[in-house]
């Protein structure tokens, strides 16, 4: 099971493949906003990685971040917990 480390909150084991946004809410008990319900439209679920950033990026995530001119963040609704983060 991958480990999710949330700065200032703690370290949590999460189910492999669980969306990061859901792991943040359910496992880490972080109030992670996600207004579009995981459809990569609103960018409210933005997260910044200190370490363990996944290299894969969905086309939806890439497109919406580029359209909004946002850099240095990822969309937690588009990331699967398949490694330590």
């Amino acid at each position: 099971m991958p480990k999710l480390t949330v700065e200032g909150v703690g370290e949590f084991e999460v189910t492999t493949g669980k969306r990061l946004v859901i792991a943040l809410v359910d496992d880490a008990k972080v109030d992670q906003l996600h207004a579009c319900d995981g459809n990569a439209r609103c960018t409210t679920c933005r997260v910044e990685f200190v370490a363990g950033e996944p290299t894969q990026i969905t086309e939806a995530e890439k497109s919406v971040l580029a359209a909004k001119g946002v850099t240095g963040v990822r969309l937690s609704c588009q990331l699967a917990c398949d490694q330590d983060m």
Side-chain angles (χ1 to χ4, degrees):
M1 290 177 78
K3 287 184 205 167
L4 172 62
T5 304
V6 181
E7 193 172 84
V9 178
E11 189 175 282
F12 310 89
E13 284 193 355
V14 297
T15 304
T16 302
K18 182 183 262 189
R19 290 289 172 173
L20 179 56
V21 68
I22 301 303
L24 288 167
V25 172
D26 291 351
D27 300 309
K29 307 297 185 212
V30 172
D31 186 17
Q32 179 68 20
L33 187 61
H34 54 288
C36 74
D37 203 28
N39 293 300
R41 288 193 306 251
C42 65
T43 73
T44 59
C45 68
R46 297 177 196 181
V47 292
E48 182 178 350
F49 282 86
V50 175
E53 180 175 345
T55 56
Q56 292 184 322
I57 185 167
T58 66
E59 284 301 316
E61 180 183 15
K62 187 187 305 184
S63 295
V64 75
L65 290 175
K68 294 200 179 226
V70 179
T71 60
V73 296
R74 299 291 303 271
L75 300 182
S76 63
C77 72
Q78 296 296 296
L79 300 171
C81 295
D82 56 7
Q83 65 183 43
D84 290 350
M85 300 179 178

